[in-house]
Amino acid sequence: MPKVLFLTTSHSYSDDRIFYHQAKALRDNGYEVKICSLYAEYKGCIDEIEIESFAILEESIETKMETFRKVCNSFHPECIICSEPLAVVAVKKFVKEHRISCIYDITEWYPSMSMLQKYRFPVTIFQAIKFSLIQLYAGFLSTHFIFGETTKKFPLVYFFGFKKQIIVPYYPDSLYIKESIKQLDPNVIKLCYTGQISKDKGIENFFKAIDRLRQKMPALHIRILIIGSTVQESDELYFSSLLKIYSFDDIEIRKPTRFETFTEAFEDADLCFDLREINFENNHSLPIKLFYFMGAGKPVIYSNLKGIRKHMGELSFGSLVEPHNAEAISNVIINYIRNPELYHSHALNARKEFKEKYNWELIKDSFVDFVKNLLINNHHAAYYH
């Protein structure tokens, strides 16, 4: 039984991509799978997948790397899939000595804006250069690449385009999707925001659009659902001030839900939003939640991101907007209210496209085959060596 080890620093061992999709797909195909994360403490077995996780994010780099090395030496994987550069660098000796594959799964920008925001100018520039060089070093050490989206190929594909690679988008497994197509009530509308609550992720843009909507349609009962939480203390203060400024009548704030029940948490919402700021990092990202909204049958209003346009083109189930344009966004909502048949067609389109184009079942085999083929090549190389 081939052994595959997932290593991640900042993702949870129960991360939706790693645990619920990739690890389970390999498990179902007869692989022995283990996940090691440095995000939270847990040791045990979940759904036949071994977990050895540590809460050592605040520890030194050497401590983190040594932890990964120990796990490698005890598990003896034939393939390692890493989510961050640190993991790739940590196992370089093991990979070289045992002639195994090290896949670098790139789903996040590195360095991310959150990594750099704690530094002041001009230190920011030097840190960005340092982190970028680490990213290139990880690319050099890796034997294969998985990219979460086309726009995340930069810069690694330009330096290491000769290495075998595959794009594995963030499509959800239908198992974790609950369809909840609604009929629009012309007198009441429920608008939903999910995820991290911050300026960068667009909470103020969301509130401004709703504020404009209530000014234009004072008789409309607007219900607001927020599923998420703040991360930084500054975000908490910022959010509290927004709640006081806008003073909405009907607003419900729920803590983040378990992955398995995510689509159930917003099943009573009519429209789902993501009005994040259009900066370089956001613009080149393909938001994962978009596919969950689609699967549930929810029309969406999203920031006009290059990552979405490049991957999906024009949306048949919603609108891509300038996130600061509250006037235009409110008009999109009003258009749905006045044209319920348009709303219903978008809800059906969302569900249809999810089933036909954007679900995990359609790409699962290509991911498994990618891992299977490199393991076969490893065995051949070891045989002829």
Side-chain angles (χ1 to χ4, degrees):
M1 186 183 290
K3 292 182 173 184
V4 178
L5 173 64
F6 288 87
L7 298 179
T8 177
T9 55
S10 56
H11 292 85
S12 167
Y13 60 84
S14 59
D15 176 78
D16 62 331
R17 178 178 176 86
I18 297 171
F19 179 81
Y20 286 98
H21 291 91
Q22 295 179 344
K24 286 195 172 186
L26 293 173
R27 176 208 63 189
D28 291 344
N29 280 270
Y31 292 79
E32 185 179 341
V33 183
K34 181 169 183 170
I35 298 172
C36 176
S37 166
L38 307 184
Y39 183 79
E41 191 75 30
Y42 185 86
K43 287 179 179 60
C45 207
I46 305 174
D47 295 342
E48 299 174 55
I49 295 168
E50 187 181 348
I51 310 291
E52 189 170 4
S53 185
F54 307 86
I56 57 171
L57 268 183
E58 304 305 316
E59 298 290 335
S60 68
I61 290 174
E62 186 51 44
T63 298
K64 295 174 186 175
M65 292 176 67
E66 185 58 30
T67 300
F68 281 147
R69 292 188 198 111
K70 286 179 179 177
V71 171
C72 270
N73 288 323
S74 64
F75 185 62
H76 281 287
E78 294 162 67
C79 173
I80 303 173
I81 303 177
C82 302
S83 298
E84 296 89 10
L86 179 72
V88 177
V89 176
V91 299
K92 66 177 182 177
K93 185 179 178 183
F94 185 92
V95 169
K96 185 177 181 181
E97 287 181 352
H98 294 82
R99 297 180 174 273
I100 67 168
S101 295
C102 178
I103 304 173
Y104 184 12
D105 185 10
I106 299 100
T107 61
E108 308 286 350
W109 281 104
Y110 193 93
S112 66
M113 289 178 64
S114 61
M115 290 172 66
L116 297 172
Q117 67 182 9
K118 59 185 176 184
Y119 302 104
R120 292 186 177 181
F121 183 84
V123 179
T124 311
I125 296 173
F126 294 109
Q127 289 296 329
I129 293 170
K130 184 183 83 171
F131 287 134
S132 296
L133 290 174
I134 293 170
Q135 168 81 324
L136 290 175
Y137 185 47
F140 169 74
L141 293 174
S142 307
T143 60
H144 301 73
F145 295 128
I146 295 176
F147 294 101
E149 55 209 88
T150 305
T151 47
K152 294 277 172 64
K153 284 187 170 186
F154 176 84
L156 294 178
V157 76
Y158 295 99
F159 288 91
F160 310 107
F162 56 89
K163 295 190 178 186
K164 289 187 178 179
Q165 58 183 266
I166 186 175
I167 294 178
V168 180
Y170 315 107
Y171 303 163
D173 191 322
S174 300
L175 185 66
Y176 308 115
I177 301 292
K178 181 178 181 182
E179 179 184 332
S180 53
I181 293 175
K182 292 188 65 183
Q183 296 289 336
L184 206 56
D185 185 331
N187 302 308
V188 182
I189 191 162
K190 190 162 191 174
L191 310 177
C192 179
Y193 173 108
T194 66
Q196 185 179 330
I197 299 172
S198 69
K199 183 176 180 62
D200 177 62
K201 298 303 181 186
I203 186 64
E204 187 171 1
N205 298 329
F206 178 61
F207 279 178
K208 282 181 177 177
I210 297 174
D211 186 49
R212 190 71 191 102
L213 174 65
R214 69 178 173 183
Q215 291 171 23
K216 294 163 82 170
M217 298 190 75
L220 178 67
H221 181 185
I222 303 170
R223 302 175 65 199
I224 302 170
L225 173 61
I226 296 176
I227 305 169
S229 61
T230 55
V231 175
Q232 308 286 345
E233 187 179 346
S234 57
D235 293 333
E236 179 65 39
L237 295 171
Y238 169 71
F239 183 47
S240 297
S241 69
L242 289 180
L243 291 174
K244 290 176 184 174
I245 291 169
Y246 289 98
S247 185
F248 292 116
D249 295 328
D250 190 341
I251 182 168
E252 180 184 0
I253 303 168
R254 299 180 193 163
K255 290 293 181 184
T257 181
R258 287 170 51 243
F259 168 75
E260 299 98 320
T261 57
F262 176 59
T263 55
E264 292 177 28
F266 59 82
E267 64 181 332
D268 54 345
D270 295 305
L271 284 171
C272 291
F273 290 75
D274 191 319
L275 299 175
R276 65 184 66 192
E277 299 292 329
I278 304 182
N279 51 45
F280 180 85
E281 187 175 318
N282 286 341
N283 197 30
H284 288 79
S285 296
L286 180 63
I288 298 173
K289 290 177 297 185
L290 179 61
F291 302 110
Y292 291 83
F293 297 151
M294 286 176 67
K298 302 297 183 185
V300 301
I301 300 178
Y302 258 75
S303 294
N304 188 13
L305 305 177
K306 181 180 179 180
I308 296 177
R309 294 197 310 272
K310 198 161 184 177
H311 194 84
M312 306 177 77
E314 290 294 316
L315 297 186
S316 66
F317 56 95
S319 300
L320 296 178
V321 299
E322 201 289 305
H324 291 208
N325 194 337
E327 180 71 21
I329 296 167
S330 64
N331 286 338
V332 173
I333 303 170
I334 291 169
N335 192 33
Y336 278 132
I337 294 168
R338 292 176 176 166
N339 298 281
E341 69 285 350
L342 173 67
Y343 173 86
H344 192 61
S345 71
H346 278 198
L348 294 176
N349 287 346
R351 184 66 187 166
K352 181 174 183 286
E353 290 212 21
F354 169 74
K355 289 196 287 188
E356 294 179 358
K357 298 181 184 178
Y358 301 112
N359 68 78
W360 176 243
E361 286 83 352
L362 298 174
I363 61 172
K364 176 171 62 175
D365 289 344
S366 62
F367 164 71
V368 173
D369 289 343
F370 183 73
V371 175
K372 184 186 298 182
N373 289 334
L374 65 88
L375 281 170
I376 291 171
N377 292 335
N378 287 349
H379 289 150
H380 285 168
Y383 179 80
Y384 288 110
H385 179 64

